[in-house]
Amino acid sequence: MSEYQYYEFVAVDRPLTAAQQRELRALSTRARITSSSFVNDYQWGDLKGDPREWMQRYFDAFLYLANWGTHRIALRLPAAVLDPGTAAEYCVGESACSWATRSHVIVDLHSEDEDGDEEYEGGGHLAAILPARAELAAGDRRLLYLAWLLCVQGRELDDDEPEPPVPAGLGDLSGPQAALVDFLRLDPDLLAVAAETSKPLKDATPSVASLSRWVKALPESEKDDLVLRLLRGDDAHLRSELLARFQGAAPNEGPGGRRTVGELLAAAGERWLRRQQLAREREAAERERRERAAAAARERHLNALAGRQEQEWQRVATMIETKRPKEYDVAVALLSDLKALAERDGETEAFLRRVRQLRELHARKPSLLDRLDRARLG
């Protein structure tokens, strides 16, 4: 297998300046660089830069894929909309880590598969996942919980480690979150078990009345400042910042800390076993259905053949006289049907006598006799 690596970086909140684009071009002559992105793939060599540093300096999202099984995605958000401590509460291992700069928080997620990727084109993955960043910025903590589950799946935590607060809606992920789950190859059984204590997302949607009460409680000076920021239009995350603050004041998470890592893994294993058993039962039921259908079709075929045995024996004789292999095959198939009909109707001896006569008549046709032997005729 040839080597393949795919790198994609995206700037969301602010476009790259001309100077920044020149800096990136100096590191890669063949990358596709625009004011909002850097995309390159490698079948030899590697990126001449550190993705971690690039995320701190230039970009808000990063996706990496290699055909030996490595998947990686990183998202950068302003610290005003994602508290570094909140990110650190969920990103607790090698598969999911986070770190903070003076102005931002970066969440970095990894997935490894030793079997590698059969299909490893990287284009399109980041576009499908990127809207999850806006959801996280607006206070939706499901992405962070998925990051924690990734560490659980990687066996990076002690069995007695309690789970963090469980956000609402784990059982009904958004499209971008589902794309992230697929890209990171998160165990569906583990996710399903984790979602059992997650309350429905609609129950966590803030009402107009609760938003109104929260807004009225804000100091007038702060409201003035927020309106001014809105009018200046220089804060891309103002709405997300306010929603995140509201969520912090009225958390929508379900009860946390009730289950441990070991309990989740055990429950996921039991769910996998139940799924396998159900799959085997469904397969057996489907096999039985197909067998019954085949038997019924066979019976209908034999019923249609009954009463026409002499005509069919004559057809067999005619086809054999052609001395063509394909006609031999059709003749043998017809004889097999006549045999089945004879066995059903208790006329096996009569059938065998006619087959012996047939074999004696065509004893100098080895190709035909070979076919008869393989069909157990005579």
Side-chain angles (χ1 to χ4, degrees):
M1 182 187 296
S2 62
E3 179 179 296
Y4 177 84
Q5 297 182 84
Y6 177 86
Y7 290 85
E8 182 175 359
F9 297 84
V10 174
V12 179
D13 295 341
R14 289 184 177 82
L16 299 172
T17 65
Q20 289 174 326
Q21 292 181 60
R22 287 194 297 271
E23 292 172 8
L24 294 170
R25 177 59 68 195
L27 295 171
S28 176
T29 58
R30 57 182 292 272
R32 300 179 293 282
I33 301 174
T34 70
S35 61
S36 61
S37 66
F38 175 104
V39 179
N40 206 0
D41 54 17
Y42 300 86
Q43 298 188 19
W44 62 86
D46 202 352
L47 182 73
K48 295 182 175 63
D50 182 358
R52 182 183 175 103
E53 180 183 350
W54 285 20
M55 285 295 294
Q56 294 176 178
R57 295 183 57 187
Y58 304 114
F59 296 106
D60 300 304
F62 160 58
L63 182 140
Y64 171 77
L65 181 152
N67 67 332
W68 52 78
T70 300
H71 289 187
R72 178 183 179 189
I73 189 162
L75 300 173
R76 183 181 73 167
L77 293 94
V81 299
L82 178 59
D83 176 64
T86 300
E89 184 180 6
Y90 291 89
C91 301
V92 291
E94 295 182 3
S95 297
C97 64
S98 67
W99 71 93
T101 67
R102 286 183 298 177
S103 57
H104 289 83
V105 178
I106 299 167
V107 175
D108 197 350
L109 312 177
H110 297 74
S111 171
E112 300 287 345
D113 184 352
E114 294 180 357
D115 294 333
D117 287 321
E118 294 181 2
E119 298 180 7
Y120 48 78
E121 290 296 329
H125 288 292
L126 185 54
I129 296 171
L130 188 56
R133 175 180 180 268
E135 296 167 344
L136 179 58
D140 187 336
R141 297 292 179 257
R142 284 179 289 178
L143 184 148
L144 292 179
Y145 191 92
L146 295 176
W148 183 79
L149 278 186
L150 197 62
C151 297
V152 174
Q153 179 173 300
R155 305 300 198 273
E156 298 166 18
L157 305 175
D158 294 336
D159 281 352
D160 58 357
E161 184 76 21
E163 67 180 338
V166 181
L170 272 181
D172 186 21
L173 298 178
S174 68
Q177 292 164 357
L180 178 68
V181 166
D182 183 61
F183 181 73
L184 294 174
R185 297 169 290 215
L186 193 59
D187 180 4
D189 294 306
L190 182 59
L191 176 57
V193 166
E196 289 176 356
T197 61
S198 174
K199 63 183 179 181
L201 190 61
K202 64 180 181 180
D203 294 347
T205 302
S207 65
V208 174
S210 61
L211 287 171
S212 178
R213 287 193 298 270
W214 184 75
V215 170
K216 288 179 181 179
L218 294 174
E220 290 297 326
S221 59
E222 187 173 357
K223 294 179 187 178
D224 293 341
D225 180 61
L226 291 171
V227 172
L228 182 60
R229 289 169 60 189
L230 176 65
L231 293 174
R232 284 204 311 260
D234 58 359
D235 195 330
H237 287 283
L238 179 56
R239 178 177 180 274
S240 296
E241 179 184 336
L242 290 173
L243 284 173
R245 287 179 56 188
F246 172 80
Q247 298 289 1
N252 63 23
E253 292 87 356
R258 294 180 305 159
R259 299 173 296 183
T260 66
V261 167
E263 290 169 342
L264 286 170
L265 288 173
E270 292 173 0
R271 187 178 189 277
W272 181 86
L273 289 174
R274 288 196 302 271
R275 282 200 307 110
Q276 298 304 306
Q277 179 62 31
L278 288 173
R280 287 192 294 270
E281 292 173 358
R282 285 193 296 269
E283 182 180 347
E286 177 61 19
R287 184 168 57 251
E288 182 180 352
R289 185 196 65 78
R290 290 196 301 266
E291 290 172 354
R292 287 198 306 267
R298 181 68 169 162
E299 187 66 17
R300 289 193 297 271
H301 177 68
L302 294 180
N303 288 338
L305 190 61
R308 294 192 295 109
Q309 290 95 324
E310 290 304 320
Q311 295 95 312
E312 299 306 322
W313 278 103
Q314 184 57 47
R315 282 183 60 201
V316 169
T318 300
M319 285 183 281
I320 291 175
E321 289 299 332
T322 66
K323 300 180 180 180
R324 291 195 295 265
K326 288 185 178 179
E327 296 296 318
Y328 285 174
D329 291 334
V330 176
V332 169
L334 183 51
L335 285 170
S336 296
D337 289 342
L338 289 169
K339 177 184 178 183
L341 181 61
E343 290 173 344
R344 188 193 74 173
D345 295 343
E347 299 176 356
T348 302
E349 287 300 325
F351 172 80
L352 291 177
R353 282 196 301 271
R354 298 193 70 163
V355 171
R356 285 194 293 270
Q357 293 168 4
L358 183 71
R359 294 175 70 99
E360 291 170 1
L361 182 62
H362 300 286
R364 295 185 179 183
K365 295 184 175 72
S367 178
L368 172 64
L369 296 179
D370 179 63
R371 285 170 166 79
L372 294 173
D373 289 341
R374 284 189 278 115
R376 299 180 183 278
L377 294 167

